[in-house]
Amino acid sequence: MSLIPWLRWNEAPPRLSSRSPAEMVLETLMVELAGQMREAERQQWERSNAVRKICTGVDYSWLASAPRPTYDLSPGERMQLEDVCAKIHPSYCGPAILRFRQLIAEHEPEVQEVSGLFRSVLQEVLERMQQEEEAQKLTRQWNLRPRATFKTRARIAPLVSDIRTISEDVERDAPPPTRTWSLPEFRAQKEY
């Protein structure tokens, strides 16, 4: 048994990738698409072999393995998918892959349908990104709008009474009574 793998402690740590997050998202999503297309192609080939075996009653797959035809995206479709993938924010990459895998498991599509499912997942993610961006924009606008200041015209004066009444002259001559009520008295501010 060799001890060389255990002695790698003195090697330099791996460097961080110099690629941008958008490039990494693009590559990750396209690799996922290619992998799912290969898997769908394999499943389609297995289904056709099972049907052939049932129809003929004989399995010759062990004798000769014919090269399987592979399905490739057209260059135009590939470029369109890459353009859409480039718009995906890195934080949405994982959820997009999970949703794509979920749809593949639910529908078990043919190879030609995989790119359409992928495109629909990317559109869903872009719509969700726009909705969340609009919600954040509204939140920012709400938080940055000027606050309405409510200047009260009434002032609470629990012990003083300046309310004008009909019997004003009687009250003016009498000493102001001490306030004994439990509720405060409201009065309008005098304008000068």
Side-chain angles (χ1 to χ4, degrees), residues 83-99:
D83 287 343
V84 175
C85 287
K87 296 175 185 174
I88 303 293
H89 191 270
S91 64
Y92 291 90
C93 183
I97 290 173
L98 291 176
R99 177 71 177 140

Side-chain angles (χ1 to χ4, degrees), residues 78-191:
R78 183 172 199 67
M79 287 180 64
Q80 288 175 352
L81 288 173
E82 287 178 353
D83 287 343
V84 175
C85 287
K87 296 175 185 174
I88 303 293
H89 191 270
S91 64
Y92 291 90
C93 183
I97 290 173
L98 291 176
R99 177 71 177 140
F100 181 50
R101 289 178 181 174
Q102 179 186 12
L103 285 178
I104 292 287
E106 289 175 2
H107 298 289
E108 295 182 2
E110 300 292 322
V111 180
Q112 299 83 2
E113 301 169 345
V114 172
S115 63
L117 277 176
F118 187 64
R119 184 184 309 275
S120 69
V121 167
L122 294 178
Q123 291 300 327
E124 283 178 23
V125 169
L126 286 176
E127 288 171 5
R128 191 177 327 133
M129 283 174 50
Q130 288 174 347
Q131 289 173 350
E132 289 182 10
E133 183 177 311
E134 289 173 5
Q136 287 177 351
K137 188 183 296 183
L138 287 174
T139 303
R140 267 187 265 127
Q141 286 176 352
W142 181 260
N143 290 337
L144 294 178
R145 71 176 177 81
R147 299 279 186 233
T149 56
F150 298 105
K151 294 184 179 178
T152 58
R153 293 182 180 245
R155 196 175 134 215
I156 299 174
L159 300 176
V160 179
S161 175
D162 274 350
I163 297 176
R164 308 268 183 208
T165 63
I166 297 173
S167 59
E168 189 175 45
D169 23 325
V170 173
E171 291 178 353
R172 194 178 313 145
D173 294 336
T178 58
R179 184 145 177 112
T180 57
W181 303 309
S182 61
L183 293 175
E185 181 178 308
F186 293 95
R187 63 183 176 134
Q189 285 182 339
K190 293 181 182 176
E191 295 182 17

Side-chain angles (χ1 to χ4, degrees), residues 16-36:
L16 294 175
S17 176
S18 60
R19 295 182 298 174
S20 71
E23 290 173 353
M24 291 170 58
V25 166
L26 171 66
E27 183 181 342
T28 303
L29 290 173
M30 293 308 287
V31 165
E32 180 67 24
L33 173 63
Q36 292 296 338

